[in-house]
Amino acid sequence: ILREPLAGQRAVCPMDLDTDLWLASPRSALRSLEHALDVDGAAFGDYRCVNAPGVTVSVEEMLAALARHGGDRGLVDFVPDPAVAAIVGTWPARFDTSKAAAMGFPDACSIDAMVRSHIEDE
């Protein structure tokens, strides 16, 4: 619902406006991976997994960011899809990233920064 409208194309959103999603931009994900390469393995402890930083945003917040950066939210068609909603509804929208913060992982960027970086990269 961001990429296509920013390119002047229609997009279909099967979710409600109040659906929350956990996001990280490609740049944020890459920064986390790069940081992980430099972290001493002992810092991970016995449990070697860490939730990389991200942000929780609603579909409505994504559309607001789209509009703030010149995208036309009128290009987004809301077509409910129960099958997709059933899958997306199982995805966690919030993660505990305190371990990542303690290990010095960089914060994730905001939805506005995500949209700006997408525009810059296209």
Side-chain angles (χ1 to χ4, degrees):
I1 65 171
L2 297 173
R3 181 186 60 216
E4 290 82 1
L6 285 168
Q9 300 171 2
R10 299 202 76 73
V12 174
C13 181
M15 305 305 296
D16 294 328
L17 288 171
D18 63 350
T19 301
D20 285 337
L21 301 163
W22 179 260
L23 303 178
S25 71
R27 289 181 185 182
S28 290
L30 182 58
R31 281 195 310 271
S32 288
L33 289 171
E34 289 172 337
H35 179 74
L37 291 171
D38 294 329
V39 173
D40 181 348
F44 285 90
D46 292 333
Y47 188 66
R48 308 273 308 164
C49 296
V50 62
N51 291 323
V55 294
T56 300
V57 297
S58 68
V59 170
E60 175 60 43
E61 291 168 325
M62 292 171 69
L63 292 174
L66 171 69
R68 284 192 295 274
H69 296 280
D72 181 358
R73 66 185 284 163
L75 290 173
V76 179
D77 300 314
F78 288 88
V79 181
D81 185 329
V84 171
I87 294 168
V88 175
T90 67
W91 297 348
R94 287 163 186 75
F95 286 87
D96 177 1
T97 60
S98 57
K99 182 177 179 180
M103 294 170 68
F105 278 77
D107 288 335
C109 61
S110 68
I111 186 62
D112 285 294
M114 289 181 203
V115 174
R116 277 193 307 272
S117 68
H118 172 76
I119 291 168
E120 292 169 3
D121 292 345
E122 285 304 303

